[in-house]
Amino acid sequence: MSEPVLTEAAPSARSPRMKVNPPVFFVSAGLILAFGLFGAVFPGRAERLFTAVQSLIILDFGWFYILAVAGFLFFVIFLMMSRYGDVKLGPDDSEAEYSYLSWFAMLFSAGMGIGLLFFGVAEPIQHYTLPPVGTGGTVEAAREALPLTFFHWGLHAWAIYIVVGLALAYFAFRRGLPLSIRSALYPLIGNRIHGPIGHAIDVFSVLGTMFGVATSLGFGALQVNAGFSHLFGLPTGPLTQVILIACITGLATISAAAGLDAGIKRLRSSISFSRYRCCCSSSSPDPRSSCCKLMCRMSAPTSALSSSEPFGCTLTNPIPGWGTGRCSTGAGGSRGRPL
């Protein structure tokens, strides 16, 4: 790249008025509104269309998805072990603004968030009862369930986050380019990131982010609604869930608008602490937490789960379905929620 490395951090001037990129904002907003109206006005047709598209992608490009995710994992391990791991994501004299604990809390809460709480239990049970290969409800299905879940929520998932986060951080904070996905393609298309091609890239990234967040938020609202119904007798239904989504969205918006220090750091740290307390005290804990594992080991028969070795299967078969042994069957045809 011809652009020099920044010698000092870029000024973070905050304006009382929200600034947007009109081509990206209005095109993205229009497409999101169109998809939303299509699903609301023609729900049956939308469900058939989206199901057909999803099935086509899974059948024709499932192999590419698994191979790409494994490639991301190998790539980030290479960066970590090589000299490139010492490159700072900012000026050469910059220092970290947050402790490891605060940074981990923000990453964990923002990276996994509601999805982990919902699918931490739902996905292993789904793979156990409806495995992609074989008969459900068996010991073999239990052995395959947790490795599949770890593939979706373990090292492979974090490798995807790392690749995207590194690209954004490097080009924004070290090269001084806009903090958007288009900047990651600067080595390929150069200054054309500032034109229509760059706008199209950002529109696609906004759509992908929006629909991904909407999916996690929808599942999270269902979970929160069910929890409040069990604890406080709150009615379950679309009206309650819409109110919950509005409240959660409002809290997230306030947290993001307040910035990292005043909003996201405090909110994410409190959420992670609450998540830890809930996990260690709740009657339905996340079974992958260390304290919850210890409690389960002491109070339940876990011979089948002990033999599943989910993390070991993740390490020995980084490309699910392409290895050998009992951990490698059927991962490519997983019915779990795609990342």
Side-chain angles (χ1 to χ4, degrees):
M1 291 182 60
S2 59
E3 276 66 16
V5 176
L6 296 179
T7 57
E8 60 182 10
S12 57
R14 297 177 61 87
S15 172
R17 296 181 58 187
M18 181 178 63
K19 294 182 178 180
V20 299
N21 186 347
V24 175
F25 177 80
F26 290 110
V27 173
S28 301
L31 290 175
I32 292 172
L33 181 61
F35 276 107
L37 290 176
F38 177 60
V41 177
F42 306 103
R45 185 178 301 177
E47 181 181 4
R48 291 192 296 271
L49 175 62
F50 295 149
T51 301
V53 173
Q54 182 187 36
S55 300
L56 178 65
I57 293 174
I58 292 175
L59 291 176
D60 292 342
F61 298 100
W63 65 270
F64 178 75
Y65 165 77
I66 294 177
L67 186 61
V69 172
F72 290 156
L73 179 60
F74 291 136
F75 175 67
V76 297
I77 292 176
F78 164 75
L79 290 181
M80 180 181 66
M81 303 298 294
S82 68
R83 61 185 179 89
Y84 298 107
D86 297 327
V87 176
K88 289 188 175 182
L89 301 178
D92 292 329
D93 59 347
S94 59
E95 298 294 336
E97 297 184 20
Y98 306 99
S99 65
Y100 281 114
L101 182 61
S102 296
W103 187 239
F104 177 79
M106 288 189 283
L107 287 178
F108 189 83
S109 299
M112 297 297 188
I114 294 176
L116 180 60
L117 292 180
F118 186 91
F119 284 98
V121 176
E123 186 164 337
I125 296 300
Q126 180 186 15
H127 293 317
Y128 173 66
T129 57
L130 295 173
V133 176
T135 304
T138 62
V139 174
E140 187 63 28
R143 289 173 175 169
E144 294 293 341
L146 286 178
L148 287 176
T149 304
F150 267 87
F151 173 70
H152 287 156
W153 297 97
L155 298 178
H156 295 80
W158 280 108
I160 299 175
Y161 299 149
I162 291 171
V163 169
V164 178
L166 283 176
L168 288 172
Y170 178 83
F171 288 103
F173 300 117
R174 189 167 178 84
R175 297 292 180 174
L177 295 176
L179 186 61
S180 60
I181 296 296
R182 70 173 73 191
S183 298
L185 299 181
Y186 182 86
L188 298 178
I189 62 177
N191 289 326
R192 284 179 290 179
I193 64 170
H194 302 295
I197 297 179
H199 297 332
I201 295 170
D202 281 352
V203 167
F204 279 112
S205 65
V206 169
L207 293 178
T209 303
M210 180 65 187
F211 294 142
V213 171
T215 302
S216 296
L217 186 57
F219 283 119
L222 294 174
Q223 183 189 28
V224 173
N225 192 184
F228 282 170
S229 176
H230 177 74
L231 294 175
F232 309 112
L234 192 71
T236 59
L239 178 60
T240 304
Q241 292 157 11
V242 168
I243 295 175
L244 289 173
I245 290 175
C247 293
I248 296 173
T249 303
L251 290 174
T253 302
I254 294 173
S255 175
L260 281 177
D261 290 312
I264 294 179
K265 177 183 175 181
R266 295 177 183 176
L267 180 61
R268 301 308 184 194
S269 298
S270 63
I271 288 175
S272 296
F273 178 71
S274 301
R275 198 179 284 166
Y276 172 79
R277 289 190 59 189
C278 177
C279 173
C280 292
S281 61
S282 171
S283 60
S284 300
D286 183 335
R288 286 179 288 172
S289 171
S290 298
C291 61
C292 297
K293 283 182 180 179
L294 179 61
M295 182 174 63
C296 291
R297 296 276 186 186
M298 297 173 61
S299 60
T302 56
S303 57
L305 292 180
S306 299
S307 62
S308 66
E309 303 172 357
F311 190 70
C313 291
T314 302
L315 296 179
T316 56
N317 290 281
I319 307 180
W322 290 24
T324 58
R326 73 182 185 199
C327 300
S328 63
T329 59
S334 168
R335 295 176 185 169
R337 169 177 171 263
L339 289 172

